Amino acid sequence: MADSPERRKAEHLQQRADKLKQTAEQQSERAFSMYGRFAGGQPLLPGHHSYRSARRAKTRADAASDRAIDTYKAAQRAEREAKWAKAHADAKEEITTITSTRTRPWEPSDFRVGDIVTVRTFETHQDTYRVKQVNKKTLTLDGGGGGWDDPKREYDRVLSRTRDGHTITNPTDGETA
């Protein structure tokens, strides 16, 4: 699982972020060196013979500085994307690990009203609810809104069940307890 497509994507995005950050630093150093002409605080002197040359040099330095800032912002975006992709890959691997260790699927007989269940709500997101009703194909869960927002989840989305302080992820573990 260490070489899943999600993990490779996260690594690729991190490499891209590192490369952009390095490029931004190089561009920043270049822009800083371009401002060297103005380091002494000499202002631009309109009408002086050096004005046009100094104006061009300042415009080039400003443009180089803007490019460095834009590249740095792109590096920050890439860093955020890499962190999100890594978190996504980790969550997906965790759910896959939980579901792959099961010896059989969850069934209605594995649940009672009042059990606490952790369910997969989206591809990588998990939520915890109290079981309100055990149905033939789904669990009705207590959404906390007095009934109008009670979600129903299929048994294949259940990741764990907690009863009397004992949590299990494999339905057969509950048969002996």
Side-chain angles (χ1 to χ4, degrees), residues 102 120 130 139:
R102 290 189 189 145
R120 180 176 53 84
R130 183 174 302 279
L139 289 171

Side-chain angles (χ1 to χ4, degrees), residues 2 4 9 13 44 51 55 60 63 74 76 78 84 87 101 112 118 132 145 147 150 158 170 173:
S4 68
K9 178 181 178 184
L13 287 171
L44 299 179
Y51 179 75
R55 169 57 57 202
R60 279 191 219 106
Q76 287 179 321
W84 182 89
T101 58
R112 285 190 238 151
T118 301
K132 192 170 185 179
D150 292 342
V158 175
N170 187 356
D173 295 344

Side-chain angles (χ1 to χ4, degrees), residues 48-168:
H48 192 268
H49 69 88
S50 64
Y51 179 75
R52 285 177 38 197
S53 162
R55 169 57 57 202
R56 278 194 310 272
K58 185 170 182 332
T59 301
R60 279 191 219 106
D62 289 345
S65 182
D66 289 344
R67 281 192 301 275
I69 290 169
D70 291 344
T71 305
Y72 182 71
K73 287 179 181 178
Q76 287 179 321
R77 281 192 302 274
E79 183 78 31
R80 283 192 303 271
E81 290 173 8
K83 285 181 181 179
W84 182 89
K86 185 181 181 315
H88 183 84
D90 290 345
K92 197 166 186 177
E93 282 182 18
E94 179 185 355
I95 289 171
T96 302
T97 301
I98 290 170
T99 57
S100 67
T101 58
R102 290 189 189 145
T103 54
R104 69 171 176 82
W106 291 101
E107 299 171 349
S109 61
D110 296 321
F111 299 95
R112 285 190 238 151
V113 173
D115 286 347
I116 305 295
V117 293
T118 301
V119 294
R120 180 176 53 84
T121 50
F122 296 105
E123 184 181 32
T124 60
H125 188 70
Q126 303 175 26
D127 284 320
T128 303
Y129 296 98
R130 183 174 302 279
V131 175
K132 192 170 185 179
Q133 184 178 346
V134 179
N135 308 309
K136 186 176 180 179
K137 295 182 181 181
T138 63
L139 289 171
T140 302
L141 307 169
D142 188 0
W148 68 271
D149 69 340
D150 292 342
K152 289 187 177 188
R153 296 290 182 260
E154 295 81 13
Y155 291 107
D156 65 344
R157 289 179 167 252
V158 175
L159 299 174
S160 69
R161 180 200 76 200
T162 303
R163 180 185 296 159
D164 300 327
H166 182 66
T167 302
I168 59 171

Side-chain angles (χ1 to χ4, degrees), residues 32-47:
F32 183 75
S33 69
M34 292 173 82
Y35 282 115
R37 177 176 182 173
F38 309 102
Q42 176 67 36
L44 299 179
L45 303 171

